[in-house]
Coordinates of all heavy atoms in Angstrom, one line a residue:
M29 N -13.8 7.6 -30.0 CA -12.4 7.9 -29.8 C -11.7 8.2 -31.2 O -12.1 7.6 -32.2 CB -11.7 6.6 -29.2 CG -10.3 6.8 -28.8 SD -9.6 5.2 -28.3 CE -8.1 5.2 -29.3
V30 N -10.8 9.1 -31.1 CA -10.1 9.5 -32.3 C -9.0 8.4 -32.6 O -8.3 8.0 -31.8 CB -9.4 10.9 -32.1 CG1 -8.7 11.3 -33.4 CG2 -10.5 11.9 -31.7
T31 N -8.9 8.1 -33.9 CA -7.9 7.2 -34.3 C -6.6 7.8 -34.1 O -6.4 8.9 -34.7 CB -8.1 6.7 -35.8 OG1 -9.4 6.3 -35.9 CG2 -7.1 5.6 -36.1
P32 N -5.6 7.3 -33.4 CA -4.3 7.9 -33.3 C -3.6 7.9 -34.6 O -3.7 7.0 -35.4 CB -3.6 6.9 -32.3 CG -4.6 6.0 -31.8 CD -5.7 6.0 -32.8
R33 N -2.9 9.0 -34.9 CA -2.2 9.1 -36.1 C -1.0 10.1 -36.0 O -1.0 10.8 -35.0 CB -3.1 9.6 -37.3 CG -3.8 10.9 -37.0 CD -5.0 11.1 -37.9 NE -6.1 10.3 -37.5 CZ -7.3 10.8 -37.3 NH1 -7.5 12.1 -37.5 NH2 -8.3 10.1 -36.9
C34 N -0.1 10.0 -36.9 CA 1.1 10.8 -36.8 C 0.8 12.2 -37.3 O -0.3 12.6 -37.8 CB 2.2 10.2 -37.6 SG 2.1 10.4 -39.4
Q35 N 1.8 13.1 -37.1 CA 1.7 14.5 -37.5 C 1.6 14.7 -39.0 O 1.0 15.7 -39.5 CB 2.8 15.3 -36.9 CG 2.9 15.2 -35.4 CD 3.6 16.4 -34.7 OE1 4.5 17.0 -35.3 NE2 3.2 16.6 -33.5
E36 N 2.1 13.8 -39.7 CA 2.0 13.9 -41.2 C 0.7 13.6 -41.7 O 0.3 14.0 -42.8 CB 3.1 13.0 -41.8 CG 4.4 13.6 -41.8 CD 5.4 12.6 -42.5 OE1 5.2 12.2 -43.6 OE2 6.4 12.2 -41.8
H37 N -0.1 12.9 -40.9 CA -1.5 12.5 -41.4 C -2.5 12.9 -40.3 O -3.1 12.1 -39.7 CB -1.6 11.0 -41.6 CG -0.5 10.5 -42.5 ND1 0.6 9.8 -42.1 CD2 -0.5 10.5 -43.9 CE1 1.3 9.5 -43.2 NE2 0.7 9.9 -44.2
P38 N -2.5 14.3 -40.1 CA -3.4 14.7 -39.0 C -4.8 14.5 -39.2 O -5.6 14.4 -38.3 CB -3.0 16.2 -38.8 CG -2.5 16.6 -40.1 CD -1.9 15.3 -40.8
R39 N -5.2 14.6 -40.5 CA -6.7 14.5 -40.8 C -7.1 13.1 -41.0 O -8.2 12.6 -40.5 CB -7.0 15.3 -42.0 CG -7.0 16.8 -41.7 CD -7.0 17.6 -43.0 NE -7.5 19.0 -42.7 CZ -8.8 19.3 -42.7 NH1 -9.7 18.5 -43.1 NH2 -9.1 20.6 -42.4
Y40 N -6.4 12.4 -41.8 CA -6.8 11.0 -42.1 C -5.6 10.1 -41.9 O -4.5 10.4 -42.2 CB -7.2 10.9 -43.6 CG -8.3 11.8 -44.0 CD1 -7.9 13.0 -44.7 CD2 -9.6 11.6 -43.5 CE1 -8.9 13.9 -45.0 CE2 -10.6 12.5 -43.8 CZ -10.2 13.6 -44.6 OH -11.2 14.6 -45.0
P41 N -5.8 9.0 -41.2 CA -4.7 8.0 -41.0 C -4.2 7.5 -42.4 O -5.0 7.4 -43.3 CB -5.3 6.9 -40.2 CG -6.6 7.3 -39.8 CD -7.0 8.5 -40.7
D42 N -2.9 7.3 -42.5 CA -2.4 6.9 -43.7 C -2.9 5.5 -44.0 O -2.8 4.6 -43.2 CB -0.8 6.8 -43.5 CG -0.1 6.3 -44.8 OD1 -0.8 6.1 -45.8 OD2 1.1 6.2 -44.8
P43 N -3.6 5.3 -45.2 CA -4.1 3.9 -45.5 C -3.1 2.9 -45.5 O -3.4 1.7 -45.2 CB -4.8 4.1 -46.8 CG -4.2 5.4 -47.4 CD -3.8 6.2 -46.2
R44 N -1.8 3.2 -45.8 CA -0.8 2.2 -45.9 C -0.2 2.1 -44.5 O 0.8 1.3 -44.3 CB 0.3 2.6 -46.8 CG -0.1 2.5 -48.3 CD 0.9 3.2 -49.2 NE 0.9 4.6 -48.8 CZ 1.9 5.4 -48.8 NH1 3.1 4.9 -49.2 NH2 1.9 6.7 -48.5
K45 N -0.7 2.7 -43.5 CA -0.3 2.6 -42.1 C 1.2 3.0 -42.0 O 2.1 2.1 -41.9 CB -0.5 1.2 -41.6 CG -1.9 1.0 -41.1 CD -1.9 0.9 -39.6 CE -3.3 0.8 -39.1 NZ -3.4 1.3 -37.7
C46 N 1.5 4.2 -42.1 CA 2.9 4.7 -42.0 C 3.5 4.4 -40.6 O 2.7 4.1 -39.7 CB 3.1 6.2 -42.4 SG 2.7 7.2 -41.0
A47 N 4.8 4.4 -40.5 CA 5.4 4.1 -39.2 C 4.9 5.0 -38.1 O 4.6 4.6 -37.0 CB 6.9 4.2 -39.3
G48 N 4.7 6.3 -38.4 CA 4.3 7.3 -37.5 C 2.9 7.0 -37.0 O 2.6 7.0 -35.8
C49 N 2.0 6.6 -37.9 CA 0.6 6.3 -37.5 C 0.6 5.0 -36.7 O -0.1 5.0 -35.7 CB -0.3 6.1 -38.7 SG -0.6 7.7 -39.5
S50 N 1.4 4.0 -37.1 CA 1.4 2.8 -36.3 C 1.9 3.0 -34.9 O 1.4 2.5 -33.9 CB 2.3 1.8 -37.0 OG 1.8 1.5 -38.3
A51 N 3.0 3.8 -34.8 CA 3.6 4.1 -33.5 C 2.6 4.8 -32.6 O 2.4 4.6 -31.5 CB 4.8 5.0 -33.7
A52 N 1.8 5.8 -33.3 CA 0.8 6.5 -32.5 C -0.2 5.6 -32.0 O -0.7 5.7 -30.8 CB 0.3 7.7 -33.4
A53 N -0.6 4.7 -32.9 CA -1.7 3.7 -32.5 C -1.2 2.8 -31.3 O -1.9 2.5 -30.4 CB -2.1 2.9 -33.7
N54 N 0.1 2.4 -31.5 CA 0.7 1.5 -30.4 C 0.8 2.3 -29.1 O 0.5 1.7 -28.1 CB 2.1 1.1 -30.9 CG 2.0 0.0 -31.9 OD1 1.0 -0.7 -32.0 ND2 3.1 -0.2 -32.7
A55 N 1.2 3.5 -29.2 CA 1.4 4.3 -28.0 C 0.0 4.5 -27.3 O -0.1 4.4 -26.1 CB 2.0 5.7 -28.3
A56 N -1.0 4.7 -28.1 CA -2.4 4.9 -27.6 C -2.8 3.6 -26.9 O -3.4 3.7 -25.8 CB -3.3 5.4 -28.7
A57 N -2.5 2.5 -27.6 CA -3.0 1.3 -27.0 C -2.2 1.0 -25.7 O -2.9 0.5 -24.7 CB -2.7 0.1 -28.0
R58 N -0.9 1.3 -25.7 CA -0.2 1.1 -24.5 C -0.7 1.9 -23.3 O -0.8 1.5 -22.2 CB 1.3 1.4 -24.7 CG 2.2 0.5 -24.0 CD 3.7 0.5 -24.5 NE 4.1 1.8 -25.0 CZ 4.6 2.0 -26.2 NH1 4.7 1.0 -27.0 NH2 4.9 3.2 -26.6
K59 N -1.0 3.2 -23.7 CA -1.5 4.1 -22.7 C -2.8 3.6 -22.1 O -3.0 3.7 -20.9 CB -1.7 5.5 -23.4 CG -2.1 6.6 -22.4 CD -1.0 7.1 -21.6 CE -1.5 8.0 -20.5 NZ -0.5 8.1 -19.4
A60 N -3.7 3.1 -23.0 CA -5.0 2.6 -22.5 C -4.7 1.5 -21.6 O -5.4 1.4 -20.6 CB -5.8 2.2 -23.8
T61 N -3.8 0.6 -21.9 CA -3.5 -0.5 -21.0 C -3.0 0.0 -19.7 O -3.4 -0.5 -18.6 CB -2.5 -1.5 -21.7 OG1 -2.9 -1.8 -23.0 CG2 -2.3 -2.7 -20.9
E62 N -2.1 0.9 -19.7 CA -1.6 1.5 -18.5 C -2.6 2.1 -17.6 O -2.7 1.8 -16.4 CB -0.5 2.5 -18.8 CG 0.9 2.0 -19.0 CD 1.8 3.1 -19.5 OE1 1.6 4.3 -19.2 OE2 2.8 2.8 -20.2
V63 N -3.5 2.9 -18.2 CA -4.6 3.5 -17.5 C -5.5 2.4 -16.9 O -5.9 2.5 -15.7 CB -5.4 4.4 -18.4 CG1 -6.7 4.8 -17.8 CG2 -4.6 5.6 -18.8
Q64 N -5.7 1.3 -17.7 CA -6.6 0.3 -17.2 C -5.9 -0.4 -16.0 O -6.6 -0.7 -15.0 CB -6.8 -0.7 -18.3 CG -8.2 -1.3 -18.4 CD -8.4 -1.9 -19.8 OE1 -7.5 -2.5 -20.3 NE2 -9.6 -1.8 -20.3
Q65 N -4.6 -0.7 -16.1 CA -3.9 -1.4 -15.0 C -3.9 -0.5 -13.8 O -4.1 -1.0 -12.7 CB -2.5 -1.7 -15.5 CG -2.5 -3.0 -16.4 CD -1.2 -3.2 -17.0 OE1 -0.3 -2.3 -16.9 NE2 -1.0 -4.4 -17.6
A66 N -3.6 0.8 -14.0 CA -3.6 1.7 -12.9 C -4.9 1.8 -12.2 O -5.0 1.7 -10.9 CB -3.2 3.1 -13.3
A67 N -6.0 1.8 -12.9 CA -7.3 1.8 -12.3 C -7.6 0.5 -11.6 O -8.1 0.6 -10.5 CB -8.4 2.0 -13.4
G68 N -7.1 -0.6 -12.1 CA -7.3 -1.9 -11.4 C -6.5 -1.9 -10.1 O -7.1 -2.4 -9.1
K69 N -5.3 -1.4 -10.2 CA -4.5 -1.4 -9.0 C -5.1 -0.5 -7.9 O -5.2 -0.8 -6.7 CB -3.1 -0.8 -9.3 CG -2.0 -1.5 -8.5 CD -0.7 -0.8 -8.6 CE 0.0 -1.0 -9.9 NZ 1.4 -0.4 -10.0
E70 N -5.6 0.7 -8.4 CA -6.2 1.6 -7.4 C -7.4 1.0 -6.8 O -7.6 1.1 -5.6 CB -6.7 2.9 -8.2 CG -6.3 4.2 -7.5 CD -6.4 5.3 -8.5 OE1 -7.6 5.8 -8.7 OE2 -5.4 5.7 -9.1
A71 N -8.2 0.3 -7.6 CA -9.4 -0.4 -7.0 C -9.0 -1.4 -6.0 O -9.7 -1.4 -4.9 CB -10.2 -1.0 -8.1
S72 N -8.0 -2.2 -6.2 CA -7.6 -3.2 -5.3 C -7.0 -2.6 -4.0 O -7.2 -3.1 -2.9 CB -6.6 -4.2 -5.9 OG -5.4 -3.6 -6.2
T73 N -6.3 -1.4 -4.2 CA -5.7 -0.8 -3.1 C -6.8 -0.2 -2.2 O -6.8 -0.4 -1.0 CB -4.9 0.4 -3.5 OG1 -3.8 -0.1 -4.3 CG2 -4.2 1.1 -2.3
A74 N -7.9 0.3 -2.8 CA -9.0 0.9 -2.1 C -9.7 -0.3 -1.3 O -10.1 -0.1 -0.2 CB -10.0 1.5 -3.0
A75 N -9.8 -1.4 -2.0 CA -10.5 -2.6 -1.4 C -9.7 -3.0 -0.2 O -10.2 -3.4 0.9 CB -10.7 -3.7 -2.4
R76 N -8.3 -3.0 -0.3 CA -7.5 -3.5 0.8 C -7.6 -2.5 1.9 O -7.7 -2.9 3.1 CB -6.0 -3.6 0.3 CG -5.2 -4.5 1.2 CD -3.8 -4.8 0.6 NE -3.1 -3.6 0.2 CZ -2.6 -3.4 -0.9 NH1 -2.8 -4.2 -1.9 NH2 -2.0 -2.2 -1.2
E77 N -7.6 -1.2 1.6 CA -7.7 -0.2 2.7 C -9.0 -0.3 3.4 O -9.1 -0.2 4.6 CB -7.5 1.2 2.1 CG -6.1 1.6 2.0 CD -5.9 2.8 1.2 OE1 -6.9 3.5 0.9 OE2 -4.7 3.2 0.9
R78 N -10.1 -0.6 2.6 CA -11.4 -0.8 3.3 C -11.3 -2.0 4.2 O -11.9 -1.9 5.3 CB -12.5 -1.0 2.2 CG -13.2 0.3 1.8 CD -14.5 0.0 1.2 NE -14.5 -0.9 0.0 CZ -14.1 -0.6 -1.2 NH1 -13.9 0.7 -1.4 NH2 -14.1 -1.4 -2.1
A79 N -10.7 -3.0 3.7 CA -10.6 -4.2 4.5 C -9.8 -4.0 5.8 O -10.2 -4.5 6.9 CB -10.0 -5.4 3.7
E80 N -8.8 -3.2 5.7 CA -7.9 -2.9 6.8 C -8.7 -2.0 7.8 O -8.6 -2.2 9.1 CB -6.7 -2.1 6.4 CG -5.6 -3.1 5.9 CD -4.4 -2.4 5.3 OE1 -4.3 -1.1 5.4 OE2 -3.6 -3.0 4.6
V81 N -9.5 -1.1 7.4 CA -10.3 -0.2 8.2 C -11.3 -1.1 9.0 O -11.5 -1.0 10.2 CB -11.0 0.9 7.4 CG1 -12.1 1.6 8.2 CG2 -10.0 1.9 6.9
R82 N -11.9 -2.0 8.2 CA -12.9 -2.9 8.8 C -12.3 -3.8 9.9 O -12.8 -3.9 11.0 CB -13.5 -3.8 7.7 CG -14.6 -4.7 8.2 CD -15.3 -5.3 7.0 NE -16.1 -6.4 7.4 CZ -15.7 -7.7 7.5 NH1 -14.5 -8.0 7.2 NH2 -16.5 -8.6 8.0
R83 N -11.1 -4.3 9.5 CA -10.3 -5.2 10.5 C -10.0 -4.4 11.7 O -10.2 -4.9 12.9 CB -9.1 -5.7 9.8 CG -8.0 -6.4 10.6 CD -8.6 -7.5 11.5 NE -9.4 -8.4 10.8 CZ -10.2 -9.3 11.4 NH1 -10.2 -9.4 12.7 NH2 -10.9 -10.1 10.7
A84 N -9.6 -3.1 11.6 CA -9.2 -2.3 12.7 C -10.5 -2.0 13.6 O -10.4 -2.1 14.8 CB -8.6 -1.0 12.3
A85 N -11.6 -1.8 13.0 CA -12.8 -1.6 13.7 C -13.2 -2.8 14.5 O -13.7 -2.7 15.6 CB -13.9 -1.1 12.7
I86 N -13.1 -3.9 13.8 CA -13.5 -5.2 14.5 C -12.5 -5.4 15.7 O -13.0 -5.8 16.8 CB -13.4 -6.4 13.5 CG1 -14.6 -6.2 12.5 CG2 -13.5 -7.7 14.2 CD1 -14.5 -7.2 11.3
D87 N -11.2 -5.3 15.4 CA -10.3 -5.5 16.5 C -10.5 -4.6 17.6 O -10.2 -4.9 18.8 CB -8.8 -5.3 15.9 CG -8.4 -6.4 15.0 OD1 -9.1 -7.5 15.0 OD2 -7.4 -6.3 14.4
G88 N -10.9 -3.4 17.3 CA -11.1 -2.4 18.4 C -12.4 -2.5 19.1 O -12.7 -1.7 20.0
C89 N -13.3 -3.3 18.6 CA -14.6 -3.4 19.1 C -14.7 -4.6 20.0 O -14.4 -5.7 19.7 CB -15.7 -3.5 18.0 SG -17.4 -3.7 18.6
Y90 N -15.2 -4.4 21.2 CA -15.2 -5.5 22.2 C -16.6 -6.2 22.1 O -16.7 -7.3 22.6 CB -15.0 -5.0 23.6 CG -16.2 -4.3 24.2 CD1 -17.3 -5.0 24.8 CD2 -16.3 -2.9 24.1 CE1 -18.4 -4.3 25.3 CE2 -17.4 -2.2 24.6 CZ -18.4 -2.9 25.2 OH -19.5 -2.3 25.7
A91 N -17.5 -5.7 21.4 CA -18.8 -6.3 21.3 C -18.9 -7.5 20.3 O -19.6 -8.5 20.6 CB -19.9 -5.2 21.0
C92 N -18.3 -7.4 19.1 CA -18.5 -8.4 18.1 C -17.4 -9.4 18.1 O -16.3 -9.2 18.7 CB -18.6 -7.7 16.8 SG -17.2 -6.7 16.3
D93 N -17.6 -10.5 17.3 CA -16.6 -11.5 17.2 C -15.6 -11.1 16.2 O -15.6 -10.1 15.6 CB -17.3 -12.9 17.0 CG -17.9 -12.9 15.6 OD1 -17.6 -12.0 14.8 OD2 -18.7 -13.8 15.3
N94 N -14.7 -12.1 15.8 CA -13.6 -11.8 14.9 C -14.0 -11.5 13.5 O -13.3 -10.9 12.8 CB -12.7 -13.1 14.9 CG -11.3 -12.8 14.9 OD1 -10.9 -11.7 15.3 ND2 -10.4 -13.7 14.5
D95 N -15.3 -11.9 13.1 CA -15.7 -11.6 11.8 C -16.6 -10.3 11.8 O -17.2 -10.0 10.7 CB -16.5 -12.8 11.3 CG -15.6 -14.0 11.1 OD1 -14.5 -13.7 10.6 OD2 -16.0 -15.1 11.4
G96 N -16.7 -9.6 12.9 CA -17.5 -8.4 12.9 C -19.0 -8.7 13.1 O -19.8 -7.9 12.8
Y97 N -19.3 -9.9 13.7 CA -20.7 -10.2 14.0 C -21.0 -10.1 15.5 O -20.2 -10.5 16.3 CB -21.1 -11.5 13.4 CG -21.2 -11.5 11.9 CD1 -20.1 -11.7 11.1 CD2 -22.5 -11.3 11.4 CE1 -20.3 -11.7 9.7 CE2 -22.7 -11.3 10.0 CZ -21.6 -11.5 9.2 OH -21.7 -11.4 7.8
L98 N -22.2 -9.7 15.7 CA -22.6 -9.6 17.1 C -24.0 -10.3 17.2 O -25.0 -9.9 16.6 CB -22.8 -8.1 17.6 CG -23.4 -7.8 18.9 CD1 -22.5 -8.4 20.0 CD2 -23.6 -6.4 19.1
N99 N -24.0 -11.4 17.9 CA -25.3 -12.3 18.0 C -25.8 -12.6 16.6 O -27.0 -12.5 16.4 CB -26.3 -11.5 18.8 CG -25.8 -11.3 20.2 OD1 -25.0 -12.1 20.7 ND2 -26.2 -10.2 20.9
G100 N -24.9 -12.9 15.7 CA -25.4 -13.3 14.4 C -25.7 -12.2 13.5 O -26.1 -12.4 12.3
R101 N -25.5 -11.0 13.9 CA -25.8 -9.8 13.1 C -24.5 -9.0 12.9 O -23.7 -9.0 13.7 CB -26.9 -8.9 13.7 CG -28.1 -9.6 14.1 CD -29.1 -8.7 14.7 NE -30.4 -8.7 13.8 CZ -31.2 -7.7 13.8 NH1 -31.1 -6.7 14.6 NH2 -32.3 -7.7 13.1
V102 N -24.5 -8.3 11.7 CA -23.3 -7.5 11.5 C -23.3 -6.4 12.5 O -24.2 -5.6 12.8 CB -23.4 -6.9 10.0 CG1 -22.2 -5.9 9.8 CG2 -23.4 -7.9 9.0
C103 N -22.1 -6.3 13.1 CA -21.9 -5.2 14.2 C -21.5 -3.9 13.6 O -20.7 -3.9 12.6 CB -20.8 -5.7 15.2 SG -20.4 -4.5 16.4
H104 N -22.1 -2.9 14.0 CA -21.7 -1.5 13.5 C -20.7 -0.9 14.4 O -20.4 0.3 14.3 CB -22.9 -0.7 13.4 CG -23.9 -1.2 12.3 ND1 -23.6 -1.1 11.0 CD2 -25.1 -1.9 12.4 CE1 -24.6 -1.7 10.3 NE2 -25.5 -2.1 11.1
H105 N -20.2 -1.7 15.4 CA -19.2 -1.2 16.3 C -19.5 0.1 17.0 O -18.7 0.9 17.4 CB -17.8 -1.0 15.6 CG -17.6 -2.2 14.6 ND1 -17.6 -3.5 15.0 CD2 -17.3 -2.2 13.3 CE1 -17.3 -4.2 13.9 NE2 -17.1 -3.5 12.9
N106 N -20.8 0.2 17.3 CA -21.3 1.5 18.0 C -20.7 1.5 19.4 O -20.6 2.5 20.0 CB -22.8 1.5 18.0 CG -23.3 1.9 16.6 OD1 -22.6 2.5 15.8 ND2 -24.5 1.4 16.3
E107 N -20.6 0.3 20.0 CA -20.1 0.1 21.3 C -18.8 0.7 21.4 O -18.4 1.4 22.4 CB -20.1 -1.3 21.8 CG -21.5 -1.9 21.9 CD -22.3 -1.2 22.9 OE1 -21.8 -0.9 24.0 OE2 -23.5 -1.0 22.7
T108 N -18.0 0.5 20.4 CA -16.6 1.1 20.4 C -16.6 2.6 20.5 O -15.9 3.2 21.3 CB -15.8 0.6 19.1 OG1 -16.2 -0.7 18.8 CG2 -14.4 0.8 19.3
A109 N -17.5 3.2 19.7 CA -17.6 4.6 19.6 C -18.1 5.1 20.9 O -17.6 6.1 21.4 CB -18.5 5.0 18.4
R110 N -19.1 4.4 21.5 CA -19.6 4.9 22.7 C -18.6 4.8 23.8 O -18.4 5.7 24.7 CB -20.8 4.0 23.1 CG -21.9 4.8 23.9 CD -23.2 4.2 23.8 NE -23.2 2.9 24.4 CZ -24.1 1.9 24.3 NH1 -25.1 2.2 23.5 NH2 -24.0 0.8 24.9
L111 N -17.8 3.7 23.9 CA -16.8 3.5 24.8 C -15.7 4.6 24.7 O -15.3 5.2 25.6 CB -16.2 2.1 24.6 CG -15.4 1.6 25.8 CD1 -16.4 1.2 26.9 CD2 -14.6 0.3 25.4
A112 N -15.3 4.8 23.5 CA -14.3 5.9 23.2 C -14.8 7.2 23.7 O -14.0 8.0 24.3 CB -13.9 5.9 21.7
A113 N -16.1 7.5 23.4 CA -16.6 8.8 23.8 C -16.6 8.9 25.3 O -16.3 10.0 25.9 CB -18.0 8.9 23.2
A114 N -17.1 7.8 25.9 CA -17.1 7.8 27.4 C -15.7 8.0 28.0 O -15.5 8.8 28.9 CB -17.7 6.5 27.9
K115 N -14.8 7.3 27.4 CA -13.4 7.4 27.8 C -12.9 8.8 27.7 O -12.2 9.4 28.6 CB -12.5 6.5 27.0 CG -11.9 5.3 27.8 CD -10.9 4.6 27.0 CE -11.1 3.1 27.0 NZ -10.4 2.4 26.0
G116 N -13.2 9.4 26.5 CA -12.8 10.8 26.2 C -13.3 11.7 27.2 O -12.6 12.6 27.8
A117 N -14.6 11.6 27.5 CA -15.3 12.4 28.5 C -14.7 12.3 29.8 O -14.5 13.3 30.6 CB -16.8 12.1 28.5
A118 N -14.4 11.0 30.2 CA -13.8 10.7 31.5 C -12.4 11.4 31.6 O -12.1 12.0 32.7 CB -13.8 9.3 31.8
A119 N -11.7 11.2 30.5 CA -10.3 11.8 30.5 C -10.4 13.3 30.7 O -9.6 13.9 31.4 CB -9.6 11.3 29.2
A120 N -11.4 13.9 29.9 CA -11.5 15.3 30.0 C -11.9 15.8 31.4 O -11.3 16.8 31.9 CB -12.6 15.8 28.9
R121 N -12.8 15.0 32.0 CA -13.2 15.4 33.3 C -12.1 15.3 34.3 O -11.8 16.1 35.2 CB -14.4 14.4 33.7 CG -15.6 15.2 34.0 CD -16.7 14.4 34.7 NE -16.7 13.0 34.5 CZ -17.4 12.3 33.6 NH1 -18.1 13.0 32.7 NH2 -17.3 11.1 33.4
A122 N -11.3 14.2 34.1 CA -10.1 14.0 35.0 C -9.1 15.1 34.9 O -8.6 15.6 35.9 CB -9.5 12.6 34.7
A123 N -8.9 15.5 33.6 CA -7.9 16.5 33.4 C -8.4 17.8 34.0 O -7.6 18.6 34.6 CB -7.7 16.7 31.9
L124 N -9.7 18.1 33.8 CA -10.3 19.3 34.4 C -10.1 19.3 35.9 O -9.7 20.3 36.5 CB -11.7 19.4 34.0 CG -12.4 20.7 34.2 CD1 -11.8 21.8 33.3 CD2 -13.9 20.6 34.0
N125 N -10.5 18.2 36.5 CA -10.4 18.0 38.0 C -9.0 18.3 38.5 O -8.8 19.0 39.5 CB -10.9 16.7 38.4 CG -12.4 16.5 38.4 OD1 -13.1 17.6 38.4 ND2 -12.9 15.3 38.3
Q126 N -8.1 17.7 37.7 CA -6.7 17.8 38.1 C -6.2 19.3 38.0 O -5.6 19.8 38.9 CB -5.8 16.9 37.2 CG -4.5 16.5 37.7 CD -3.8 15.5 36.9 OE1 -4.0 15.5 35.7 NE2 -3.2 14.5 37.5
A127 N -6.7 19.9 36.9 CA -6.3 21.3 36.7 C -6.9 22.2 37.8 O -6.2 23.0 38.4 CB -6.8 21.8 35.3
L128 N -8.1 21.9 38.1 CA -8.8 22.7 39.2 C -8.1 22.4 40.5 O -7.8 23.4 41.3 CB -10.3 22.3 39.2 CG -11.1 22.8 38.1 CD1 -12.5 22.3 38.2 CD2 -11.1 24.3 38.0
G129 N -7.8 21.1 40.8 CA -7.3 20.7 42.1 C -5.9 21.3 42.2 O -5.5 21.8 43.3
G130 N -5.1 21.3 41.1 CA -3.7 21.8 41.1 C -3.7 23.3 41.4 O -2.7 23.7 42.1
N131 N -4.6 24.0 40.9 CA -4.6 25.4 41.1 C -5.2 25.9 42.5 O -4.9 27.0 42.9 CB -5.4 26.1 40.0 CG -4.7 26.0 38.6 OD1 -3.5 25.9 38.7 ND2 -5.4 26.1 37.5
A132 N -6.0 25.0 43.0 CA -6.7 25.4 44.2 C -5.8 25.4 45.5 O -4.8 24.8 45.5 CB -7.9 24.5 44.5
Ligands
ZN228 ZN1 1.1 8.6 -40.6
ZN229 ZN1 -18.2 -4.5 16.7

């Protein structure tokens, strides 16, 4: 990493640490902290979103228990997907039947 320094000392930082160089160093340190905090916040947000998605999957799955387990094993909620697919197919069939019946 390049040592932050002011415009008056672009090549070498002032050995006496001029105000500009100090300010640049402080700003860089602050920026680094901000970036770090933002990254931490992002990570926790992602973790929370993952947890919410998992919770929704568990809530929507009739096969597993409240913790997402089915007979002591982690449930992949495939039953939910199958049910939704079956429901979707049934709904599509019903709509088709209705459309055909309505026109006939
Ligand atoms: Zn300087
Ligand atoms: Zn499940």
Side-chain angles (χ1 to χ4, degrees):
M29 189 187 128
V30 181
T31 309
R33 55 195 81 122
C34 76
Q35 302 204 331
E36 278 181 59
H37 306 102
R39 284 169 163 268
Y40 307 103
D42 184 2
R44 286 165 301 145
K45 279 251 172 204
C46 84
C49 286
S50 299
N54 284 340
R58 217 169 27 239
K59 182 81 192 157
T61 307
E62 270 171 28
V63 167
Q64 222 164 33
Q65 282 171 348
K69 214 193 285 185
E70 225 165 81
S72 68
T73 302
R76 200 171 53 234
E77 275 171 9
R78 266 203 305 278
E80 278 171 12
V81 166
R82 184 171 165 271
R83 168 53 47 194
I86 290 170
D87 284 350
C89 178
Y90 73 85
C92 55
D93 65 15
N94 220 20
D95 293 318
Y97 283 86
L98 174 63
N99 298 330
R101 309 181 117 201
V102 175
C103 177
H104 295 289
H105 317 307
N106 290 331
E107 293 298 318
T108 319
R110 211 160 63 196
L111 199 68
K115 243 188 229 166
R121 243 194 330 268
L124 191 68
N125 283 340
Q126 203 169 37
L128 290 175
N131 287 338

